[in-house]
Amino acid sequence: MDNGSSPKHAHIFPADFAWGVATSAHQVEGDNFNNQWSAWEQQGRIKSGDHVGRACDWWRNAEQDFDRAKELGVNALRLSLEWSKIEPEEGRWDGSALGRYREMLQALRNRGIRPFVTLHHFTNPLWFEAKGGFATRQSIELFRRFTYQAVAALGDLCYDWTTFNEPNVYVSLGYFLGEFPPGHRGRVLQAAAVTRNLCLAHATAYRTIHSLQSQASVGWAQHYVVFKPRRRHSALDRWLCGFVDRRFNENFAESILSGTAPFPLNKFGQSLAEVKGTCDYIGINYYSRLRAGLDLRSPRTLFFQLTVPPHKPQGDSGIEIPYGEAYPKGLRRAAKRFAAFNKPIYILENGVPDRDDRIRPWLMKSAAKQMRKLLADGVDLRGYFHWSLTDNFEWNEGWHLRFGLIELDPATQARRPRPSAEVYAEIIRSSRNGGVSQAASG
Ligand code: GAL
């Protein structure tokens, strides 16, 4: 295992590098009863059977965790806005919800923490979902209105915006694999239409934010997976792997980069010239490597199977499927892949589900090492956000997968730092001192 101990290039992190932690509204706030994920939970679709409940109680008291974040030494924190709280019914704007977000952003700034705000992190208000979510063209205008209201109300407190979190995950799990709401399977054309609408909604939001805030920095978060053929000698596995890699990792990104319509709409002569170049940075969420291969016994996953060889380092497994191999070198690969954009890069999420903190310290130190290499290669890397500060509600895995630097008991809300919290604090300190101390090099 790469233990990340090389002091080479230790001085390399720029002074204003954003060292952060990442979160999302539904996973940490609590009191969300009006979005499609809460309906999904009521339908019994959370595999662990868990309830999000108060989550990490941020709607009442995010500030206590902001204090903990500050103790770690982070200077940035990524959170998202819950659209269903801000616009609980179509066209009705809840000033008190926007007021609570103002308080939260101000609380971060008071602690010297730079807020990075995501407008859409998987959740839709129920009224919006009932209209068809992002499968309809109308969604673009509805999302523009929401963006306008949010940025007009919060824009003096935040300049770093992420329009959509992981459009490729939202589409693949919601319209292809049926793991996320709306739970559709194998809807190839609908998935492409949703991606097209998300691209257009992103571009419209990009322009809306800039019309309100000339100095804004706006991008989206692209989930990246390293895919490897399951059987190196199988031409079919190699082809499948290449196909999945292009479709998943370039879905959305290639439209923003080049203005092409998402596959297969591009094959029918559609283009999206108006979305070309609508980003100020590239946000990358990177977690794992997966082996992809053909498996005729897996109709549920449309005959391809994703596996992890047992001898590879990995965190805890999901309830039905492995989470993936922990492969920190993929961070570098991800950043290089998106270098074609010629934009600054932020790692907006990276982490591992690891209740007992078996491999998280190694993972974090290895990630730091990969980032030093990227910076040494001249890549314009501006920040890293660890997922996550505390354990939080992991979508359809519920409380089963634990990503926190800080362990959380959702019933009592008690928190206890894992050893990783100190490891991260030391990585941050040593990047600022320009040296890698013993503790950070492990
Ligand atoms: C990302 C997602 C986060 C979090 C993380 C850990 O795909 O954006 O919300 O769930 O995965 O699995």
Side-chain angles (χ1 to χ4, degrees):
M1 275 191 200
D2 159 14
N3 70 3
S5 64
S6 161
K8 222 172 126 201
H9 312 307
H11 299 262
I12 213 157
F13 286 99
D16 60 353
F17 192 81
W19 284 107
V21 283
T23 65
S24 94
H26 189 73
Q27 295 177 274
V28 299
E29 282 179 0
D31 292 346
N32 279 324
F33 310 110
N34 193 22
N35 65 30
Q36 95 282 30
W37 267 93
S38 125
W40 190 250
E41 180 182 314
Q42 278 159 30
Q43 290 158 25
R45 299 298 295 267
I46 306 297
K47 293 177 184 170
S48 57
D50 290 331
H51 298 287
V52 61
R54 283 162 73 193
C56 310
D57 214 19
W58 275 30
W59 200 238
R60 273 169 261 202
N61 192 3
E63 287 78 352
Q64 57 162 342
D65 278 341
F66 294 169
D67 286 337
R68 293 185 176 95
K70 188 173 162 59
E71 275 167 32
L72 292 180
V74 305
N75 59 1
L77 187 143
R78 179 174 171 230
L79 52 74
S80 75
L81 305 179
E82 180 55 41
W83 185 359
S84 69
K85 279 189 171 120
I86 294 175
E87 191 180 5
E89 293 162 30
E90 187 177 353
R92 182 166 75 76
W93 304 96
D94 187 332
S96 68
L98 284 165
R100 174 66 186 130
Y101 285 119
R102 280 195 69 79
E103 257 174 34
M104 285 162 68
L105 299 188
Q106 188 63 61
L108 287 171
R109 292 170 68 98
N110 293 345
R111 288 161 176 77
I113 299 178
R114 175 175 159 196
F116 281 64
V117 174
T118 307
L119 293 168
H120 186 275
H121 197 124
F122 295 161
T123 55
N124 296 328
L126 281 178
W127 62 262
F128 177 83
E129 190 75 359
K131 283 172 169 266
F134 284 98
T136 73
R137 284 280 185 158
Q138 205 194 352
S139 58
I140 300 158
E141 169 57 15
L142 294 169
F143 190 70
R144 184 201 63 76
R145 279 191 349 199
F146 164 63
T147 302
Y148 184 91
Q149 294 284 340
V151 177
L154 307 172
D156 57 324
L157 299 172
C158 170
Y159 302 92
D160 296 285
W161 302 95
T162 300
T163 55
F164 286 97
N165 181 67
E166 303 184 344
N168 54 344
V169 169
Y170 178 88
V171 171
S172 341
L173 298 194
Y175 293 85
F176 217 70
L177 296 175
E179 293 271 323
F180 276 17
H184 298 318
R185 290 228 170 103
R187 302 257 182 111
V188 180
L189 281 179
Q190 195 180 27
V194 173
T195 302
R196 178 197 58 209
N197 294 343
L198 288 169
C199 286
L200 291 165
H202 159 86
T204 307
Y206 177 87
R207 296 192 173 101
T208 303
I209 298 170
H210 278 290
S211 75
L212 291 164
Q213 221 186 37
S214 52
Q215 71 277 47
S217 166
V218 187
W220 84 98
Q222 178 80 20
H223 190 104
Y224 180 81
V225 171
V226 177
F227 290 105
K228 208 178 167 188
R230 191 150 68 97
R231 290 158 297 204
R232 212 156 31 100
H233 302 296
S234 155
L236 211 55
D237 280 6
R238 284 203 307 274
W239 177 85
L240 189 80
C241 183
F243 182 80
V244 173
D245 175 39
R246 275 193 310 281
R247 298 285 66 94
F248 182 80
N249 286 323
E250 287 171 16
N251 171 296
F252 198 89
E254 74 180 346
S255 300
I256 307 298
L257 177 62
S258 60
T260 51
F263 176 87
L265 301 180
N266 56 340
K267 306 285 177 210
F268 301 122
Q270 286 197 30
S271 85
L272 283 183
E274 67 268 51
V275 310
K276 184 172 174 179
T278 51
C279 68
D280 303 319
Y281 67 86
I282 308 296
I284 298 173
N285 294 357
Y286 171 67
Y287 289 86
S288 43
R289 173 160 77 169
L290 287 165
R291 313 281 152 146
L294 187 76
D295 183 356
L296 294 175
R297 292 159 309 174
S298 300
R300 262 196 78 195
T301 53
L302 306 178
F303 303 108
F304 74 87
Q305 204 187 38
L306 297 172
T307 53
V308 180
H311 60 282
K312 295 289 180 187
Q314 52 180 314
D316 303 332
S317 177
I319 289 168
E320 290 168 2
I321 37 178
Y323 189 80
E325 174 191 346
Y327 180 64
K329 284 186 180 155
L331 203 61
R332 229 165 126 218
R333 225 199 260 189
K336 297 250 160 144
R337 179 127 173 203
F338 296 105
F341 283 82
N342 251 328
K343 302 275 183 187
I345 292 180
Y346 288 93
I347 307 298
L348 287 180
E349 286 181 31
N350 175 240
V352 62
D354 186 5
R355 195 183 282 260
D356 298 329
D357 224 24
R358 292 177 287 116
I359 63 167
R360 190 179 286 107
W362 161 76
L363 182 103
M364 282 192 297
K365 290 177 213 167
S366 308
K369 179 177 178 180
Q370 296 303 320
M371 290 193 285
R372 286 197 295 274
K373 284 188 176 166
L374 282 166
L375 289 163
D377 288 350
V379 172
D380 187 4
L381 181 65
R382 304 266 179 105
Y384 170 88
F385 290 73
H386 192 77
W387 184 278
S388 186
L389 179 63
T390 66
D391 291 337
N392 57 45
F393 195 76
E394 175 57 17
W395 306 112
N396 57 7
E397 302 280 348
W399 297 105
H400 174 73
L401 292 182
R402 302 299 187 111
F403 284 85
L405 295 170
I406 299 174
E407 184 182 348
L408 170 88
D409 177 340
T412 62
Q413 289 292 316
R415 285 150 166 83
R416 195 166 56 93
R418 294 191 167 95
S420 282
E422 180 46 32
V423 173
Y424 192 38
E426 182 53 27
I427 288 174
I428 299 173
R429 273 197 298 273
S430 58
S431 82
R432 290 187 182 136
N433 299 336
V436 177
S437 75
Q438 212 36 45
S441 63

